[in-house]
Amino acid sequence: MNVIKRHFGQILTAVLLAMIGVGCGVLPYFAMARIVTQLAAANTTLAAYRGPIGMILLGLLGSVVFHELSTILSHNLAFRVIEDMRKTLAAKLSRLSMGEIEKKSSGEWTQFMVETLDKLERPIAHVIPEVIANVLIPIVLVVVIFVQDWRIGLANLVTLPLGMLFSVLMMGGYEERSRNYQRAAKEMNTTVVEYIRGIQVIKAFNKSASSYGKFVAAVNKNRDSMLDWYLSVCFYMTAAMEVLPSTLLFVLPTSLFLYMKGSVDVGTLISCVLLAYASYKPLIKAMNHMDTMANIRVVLEEIRNVMQLPELERGEKAQDIGSTDVAFENVSFSYRRGEDAKNVLENLSFRAKEGELTAIVGYSGGGKSTIAKLIAGYWNPTAGKIMIGNANILDIPLDQNMELVTYVSQENYLFRKSILENMRLAKTDATLEEIERACREASCHDFIMSLPQGYDTVVGESGSSLSGGERQRITIARALLKGSPIVLLDEATAYSDPDNEAEIQKSISALVRSRTVIMIAHRLSTIMHADKIIVLDRGKIEAEGTHQDLLQRGGTYAKLWKSHMGACNRAAEVK
């Protein structure tokens, strides 16, 4: 992967440091062999032991120092790679259509961007440097034993085939079970997110976690898949880790037999026995990372699948658009592709002019929000053209599209940050004066100043500590602060109270003076002064004109207006 290739030099350095650290850890065994040989020879001179003792101290110190250096470097590298990967994937998500993004729930995306990517830490920080070092060093030790005596070397390898057999048996179906476990964990996390978000509804209907069937099923499935994974490998892993280091059962008798026959001296005997004991210890450490090595393939496969998702096809060169008129020319759109695809919009043609307020009304499900999302660049039209000025929207790069258009949706999402930070999402270098000016225009400055910390007040998750109307006004203020030449208001005044509706209308009027404003509304009183009103019915334009024109023609708009005024009169009577 490109992200890992960029850090290849650091990876290689971490591996070399880890190998030196493991090698230093083996030095004391060579030193002990020399000490025991000298003792067996009844050598009592201090000079004979200074070298081996120094080697032991050097080995122990080097093992700690180089292991720490490798660990620090590899962890630093791991977190840099994860950071780069998150940025790369975030950039990828920004280039996807909303259709692709909405194929997964928010819980699945959350787990992928947080937990799944965090699983790269262990492979990079531990597996790459430690496993490579802990596999290569035993190979070197086995070669050293063979050089000293090939017969003891063969005895040292007796347990290897059986240990490897258990390891192979352990890996049978290991990756598939690991994948099943991760899939179950995703489902559980998604359900947990859904459960937490719907906790108010669950409590309202007196439902507990145990009675929420989907939650219970997901937790049980996660438990069962985890147990299936671990129980399937438990015996083989234990057997492999016990059999491999039991090499002394064969090395010690063989060495003693050869010594008694006079084939090897005491120094070779002691050296081979100690090195045989040391040769498999690093290998056992490497085996502790078997689950991580199996998981990494699943993680990389997930990342690869996301990176291969089809992106919105857009131009790469910024366009000179001329004006900010928005025109639909025979536009059709379907959320699905294939034979069962049904168009939400059908041969739609209209023009929203710069400096005018164009309103779009109609019954729910008629395609009003779809129009706004197409202009905002969430999808590409299935057929026809959307023009911004003199440029086809398909030729406009996504980043330019985002700069040109501000989309204020009916969801009114705010991050769990201060109001000041939420506002600066629209303009990172905005001064406090600019933010206050935008908030005054959107009629939210006064209520913000009444909060305990004013603009530094932290709103809750999704702005939950604020009312719907308060969130709405802040998102409108954020749109004003951004200053894009095209503003899309999708039910942006739905939660505003009557006292503030007039003030918000003033701010919308201020927007229109220098921008193209397209407003989608169910509350027809908010758009009765629009320059043009488009009536949408089942994805087609039924009529367009001013408020008075449409009332005189009758039809859908007149019915909607009558229903709206009836609702307003009933609300007034209740008061």
Side-chain angles (χ1 to χ4, degrees):
M1 298 176 66
N2 292 332
V3 173
I4 294 178
K5 287 179 181 178
R6 287 202 298 268
H7 300 280
F8 182 76
Q10 285 180 279
I11 294 173
L12 185 60
T13 304
V15 170
L16 290 174
L17 289 172
M19 289 180 65
I20 295 171
V22 175
C24 288
V26 174
L27 283 180
Y29 292 99
F30 286 96
M32 284 300 299
R34 290 181 59 183
I35 289 173
V36 174
T37 301
Q38 293 297 326
L39 289 173
N43 190 338
T44 57
T45 59
L46 183 60
Y49 298 97
R50 285 176 182 167
I53 291 173
M55 189 183 295
I56 291 173
L57 294 175
L58 185 65
L60 294 175
L61 180 63
S63 176
V64 172
V65 170
F66 285 104
H67 178 268
E68 287 301 312
L69 288 174
S70 174
T71 300
I72 292 170
L73 182 61
S74 61
H75 276 81
N76 182 274
L77 170 65
F79 295 129
R80 285 180 181 275
V81 169
I82 293 171
E83 177 192 12
D84 288 350
M85 188 59 71
R86 281 203 175 104
K87 289 178 179 177
T88 300
L89 287 165
K92 173 69 178 183
L93 290 179
S94 72
R95 298 191 297 271
L96 298 179
S97 69
M98 287 302 295
E100 286 293 340
I101 293 173
E102 290 174 352
K103 285 179 181 178
K104 292 185 179 182
S105 67
S106 59
E108 287 178 305
W109 281 118
T110 300
Q111 189 192 31
F112 173 74
M113 293 296 289
V114 179
E115 294 184 22
T116 300
L117 293 185
D118 278 344
K119 289 177 183 177
L120 290 172
E121 183 267 332
R122 281 183 62 84
I124 297 170
H126 297 282
V127 172
I128 293 177
E130 294 179 19
V131 170
I132 292 175
N134 284 312
V135 169
L136 290 178
I137 293 300
I139 294 173
V140 173
L141 293 180
V142 167
V143 171
V144 171
I145 294 172
F146 264 95
V147 170
Q148 292 187 343
D149 191 283
W150 65 270
R151 293 163 296 184
I152 299 176
L154 287 175
N156 186 44
L157 296 178
V158 169
T159 60
L160 184 62
L162 187 58
M164 295 305 295
L165 175 63
F166 284 126
S167 298
V168 170
L169 291 173
M170 178 183 70
M171 294 305 295
Y174 190 95
E175 188 174 320
E176 182 59 31
R177 289 188 176 92
S178 172
R179 185 178 284 104
N180 290 338
Y181 165 64
Q182 294 196 36
R183 192 180 299 120
K186 278 185 189 177
E187 291 177 10
M188 184 183 71
N189 286 354
T190 301
T191 308
V192 168
V193 170
E194 183 183 74
Y195 177 80
I196 293 171
R197 287 182 174 175
I199 193 69
Q200 291 183 346
V201 176
I202 292 168
K203 290 174 72 68
F205 289 96
N206 198 26
K207 296 287 185 179
S208 63
S210 59
S211 62
Y212 184 44
K214 188 177 180 181
F215 177 87
V216 175
V219 172
N220 289 341
K221 184 177 180 181
N222 181 69
R223 177 203 62 198
D224 294 340
S225 60
M226 182 188 294
L227 287 174
D228 177 59
W229 181 26
Y230 281 105
L231 292 177
S232 67
V233 302
C234 182
F235 171 77
Y236 296 118
M237 178 178 284
T238 303
M241 296 183 74
E242 291 297 326
V243 168
L244 274 174
S246 61
T247 181
L248 287 181
L249 291 174
F250 301 93
V251 170
L252 196 57
T254 302
S255 301
L256 290 173
F257 176 78
L258 293 174
Y259 174 72
M260 288 187 291
K261 289 290 186 180
S263 298
V264 297
D265 57 32
V266 67
T268 302
L269 182 148
I270 294 169
S271 177
C272 288
V273 168
L274 289 174
L275 292 180
Y277 174 73
S279 62
Y280 286 101
K281 289 186 70 177
L283 205 57
I284 296 302
K285 289 183 180 179
M287 289 182 65
N288 289 328
H289 297 290
M290 291 290 285
D291 59 328
T292 305
M293 288 187 282
N295 286 338
I296 188 60
R297 293 183 63 182
V298 179
V299 172
L300 292 177
E301 183 180 333
E302 283 192 58
I303 294 172
R304 192 180 301 110
N305 289 341
V306 172
M307 293 302 295
Q308 290 176 349
L309 289 174
E311 300 179 3
L312 279 173
E313 295 182 6
R314 288 298 182 91
E316 297 181 359
K317 185 179 178 181
Q319 299 293 306
D320 181 10
I321 60 173
S323 71
T324 57
D325 288 2
V326 176
F328 275 50
E329 299 178 4
N330 299 314
V331 172
S332 296
F333 176 75
S334 172
Y335 287 104
R336 295 184 179 182
R337 298 291 183 267
E339 295 180 358
D340 60 340
K342 183 179 179 181
N343 284 340
V344 178
L345 303 177
E346 190 75 52
N347 294 324
L348 212 63
S349 296
F350 70 88
R351 178 176 292 274
K353 294 182 179 180
E354 182 179 343
E356 292 187 358
L357 170 60
T358 301
I360 302 176
V361 301
Y363 293 111
S364 296
K368 301 184 297 297
S369 294
T370 302
I371 291 174
K373 290 175 181 178
L374 286 173
I375 299 169
Y378 287 9
W379 287 279
N380 285 339
T382 306
K385 292 193 299 184
I386 300 175
M387 304 293 292
I388 297 180
N390 53 26
N392 189 326
I393 199 170
L394 297 181
D395 297 327
I396 300 174
L398 276 175
D399 55 352
Q400 185 184 9
N401 198 154
M402 293 175 188
E403 288 296 322
L404 289 170
V405 179
T406 292
Y407 176 43
V408 183
S409 73
Q410 50 195 320
E411 280 80 20
N412 303 316
Y413 191 87
L414 295 176
F415 289 92
R416 191 174 183 176
K417 296 174 177 284
S418 69
I419 294 173
L420 201 63
E421 290 173 306
N422 269 287
M423 289 294 294
R424 283 187 173 138
L425 289 172
K427 186 180 179 183
T428 54
D429 59 348
T431 64
L432 181 59
E433 290 74 19
E434 289 176 308
I435 292 172
E436 288 181 351
R437 189 184 309 119
C439 290
R440 283 193 177 93
E441 290 178 357
S443 304
C444 58
H445 174 75
D446 291 340
F447 94 75
I448 291 173
M449 294 307 295
S450 69
L451 296 173
Q453 282 81 42
Y455 280 87
D456 293 319
T457 301
V458 176
V459 299
E461 188 77 27
S462 303
S464 59
S465 62
L466 304 175
S467 70
E470 290 169 340
R471 289 197 303 271
Q472 204 157 47
R473 280 177 279 163
I474 290 175
T475 55
I476 291 174
R478 191 162 60 186
L480 289 165
L481 181 65
K482 183 181 176 184
S484 296
I486 301 170
V487 179
L488 310 172
L489 301 173
D490 187 356
E491 294 291 348
T493 60
Y495 297 106
S496 61
D497 53 76
D499 294 334
N500 286 311
E501 186 174 309
E503 295 298 323
I504 293 176
Q505 289 306 308
K506 290 179 182 177
S507 67
I508 292 173
S509 298
L511 274 174
V512 175
R513 294 187 195 119
S514 57
R515 298 177 176 88
T516 303
V517 180
I518 298 175
M519 186 173 177
I520 296 164
H522 280 109
R523 295 172 66 174
L524 301 188
S525 56
T526 63
I527 51 90
M528 58 186 296
H529 300 296
D531 296 281
K532 179 164 64 176
I533 300 172
I534 296 171
V535 183
L536 207 64
D537 184 27
R538 299 177 185 177
K540 297 180 180 180
I541 294 177
E542 180 186 288
E544 59 179 283
T546 63
H547 173 70
Q548 291 299 330
D549 290 340
L550 293 171
L551 282 181
Q552 291 174 5
R553 293 185 207 174
T556 299
Y557 186 81
K559 293 178 183 177
L560 290 171
W561 178 256
K562 184 178 180 181
S563 298
H564 173 67
M565 293 308 297
C568 290
N569 292 334
R570 286 193 295 272
E573 290 173 4
V574 171
K575 287 186 177 182

